[in-house]
Structure formats: structure tokens, C-alpha cells
Amino acid sequence: MSVGVYPGTFDPITMGHLDIIRRSCKLFDRVIVAVAQGFSKERLFTLEERMEMVRAAVEDLPRVEVKALDGLLTEFVRREGACAIIRGLRAISDFEQEFQMSVINKKLTCEIETVFLMAAAEYSFLSSRVVRQVATVGGCIKGLVPPVVELALQAKFNRLEHLRAAIKP
Ligand code: ADP
């Protein structure tokens, strides 16, 4: 059975990520979405919130599992019995960092391959950061994220608005 690991911070999961997950299911028998903690200062959602949103977004995909990623990615991949790391490539700007990471991972564990899937044209501009920025200023993110994320962003920013109003002198 072939297993692929799709790592990232997914803060939050977007339709671009979901497209990569769906397409990965055609290549692997099982796909594990590995959600990394990331640097807390830059994170909007907690690890638990991010995992919950990914789980809700992939609930129609029975061969996809969602797990927390801690420690070294190559160790995680080995522990899970996976043969490949899955990454999405949006633009040339992604390439350099992804290339470096794949070379380092290959050095750490030579039997693990990194598989790159090109972003779908309609999502090639889309990143979690753009979603966070648009949502922060109340912009419409419909169609860019799964419905569960849209609701979570609305709830987060409504709560912040209420808090701001409450502490206004
Ligand atoms: P990281 O936390 O590693 O910066 P993300 O959690 O944002 O990355 O994304 C995880 C993976 O998904 C990365 O390989 C990234 O390039 C890819 N990715 C992000 N957004 C898209 C998109 N819109 N289309 C295709 N791949 C994407």
C-alpha cells in the first residue's frame, strides 16, 4: 500500500490545499495530511482548530487521515510507513525553498521521495496568508476556502470586533 504525507501549517486550509489532497488520492492508497505547529506568533488558528478544519474539509475522502506533525518530517514519514512527501508548487517563487527542502529531506532519508503537484490554475494565486489578510479586513473569501473555514474565520473576526468594541474607551 502506498502512503503519501502532505505536510504544512494549513493556517487555514484553502481550496488550493484541498485540490492537492484530492489529486494525491489518485496517486496514493492513503494520504496523511500532517499539520505542523508552526511559529505561534504568526498563526491565526491553534493546531487543534487547524486540524479540526482539515478533518471537516476532507470528510468525503475516506483514504485521507489528518495527524499532528511534531519533530522531524522525515522521521514522521518513516514512522507512518510512507514513501513520499507531497508538496504543491504555485509559482517559481515556491520553487527555490521547496527545492532546498526536498534536497535536505533526501539527505536525511534517501529512500523518501518528494512529489510535487503543480497548483491548479484557478488556485495558483491562493495562499493561507492571502486568506488571513483578506478575512482580517472583512473581505469576501467565499470559494477560496472550504465552507467550514469560512465560518471559522467569520466567528474569529466577529469575536475580535466585539472585543474591540468592548474595550473602546
Ligand atoms: P507551509 O506551512 O509549508 O508554508 P502551507 O501550509 O501554506 O505551507 O502549504 C502546504 C503545502 O501546500 C506547500 O507545499 C504549499 O506550496 C502548498 N500550497 C499552498 N497553497 C497552495 C495552492 N493554492 N495550490 C497548490 N499548493 C498550495
Side-chain angles (χ1 to χ4, degrees):
M1 181 158 83
S2 61
V3 183
V5 171
Y6 182 34
T9 41
F10 305 99
D11 187 35
I13 182 168
T14 69
M15 295 308 275
H17 293 129
L18 201 50
D19 178 61
I20 297 287
I21 296 169
R22 283 187 192 286
R23 288 161 57 200
S24 300
C25 287
K26 295 183 192 154
L27 302 174
F28 298 95
D29 298 314
R30 252 178 78 217
V31 173
I32 300 172
V33 181
V35 185
Q37 179 65 57
F39 298 108
S40 55
K41 242 170 73 185
E42 292 158 24
R43 297 287 153 236
L44 180 60
F45 291 102
T46 65
L47 177 65
E48 289 69 29
E49 288 172 328
R50 283 181 273 137
M51 289 180 67
E52 215 174 289
M53 287 186 282
V54 179
R55 279 205 182 96
V58 301
E59 67 180 358
D60 64 323
L61 301 171
R63 289 189 286 116
V64 177
E65 260 179 88
V66 183
K67 296 194 174 185
L69 169 63
D70 55 359
L72 204 57
L73 174 61
T74 47
E75 277 309 310
F76 178 91
V77 172
R78 219 202 309 240
R79 252 197 336 266
E80 295 295 334
C83 59
I85 295 167
I86 303 160
R87 298 292 286 176
L89 276 184
R90 279 160 296 187
I92 298 173
S93 52
D94 275 347
F95 180 81
E96 199 171 341
Q97 202 201 343
E98 293 291 345
F99 180 68
Q100 276 178 4
M101 264 171 38
S102 72
V103 172
I104 289 172
N105 285 334
K106 193 81 185 162
K107 274 210 177 311
L108 290 170
T109 315
C110 65
E111 69 268 24
I112 297 171
E113 294 294 340
T114 303
V115 171
F116 294 101
L117 296 181
M118 297 307 291
E122 65 267 43
Y123 302 130
S124 56
F125 65 94
L126 185 55
S127 67
S128 299
R129 188 168 54 86
V130 162
V131 166
R132 291 196 301 273
Q133 285 173 344
V134 173
T136 309
V137 289
C140 179
I141 40 136
K142 213 176 178 57
L144 302 182
V145 292
V148 64
V149 175
E150 213 181 309
L151 291 174
L153 283 165
Q154 270 165 13
K156 183 144 290 223
F157 289 113
N158 283 345
R159 206 161 54 231
L160 284 179
E161 276 305 305
H162 286 311
L163 280 175
R164 274 195 206 110
I167 59 172
K168 227 178 198 164

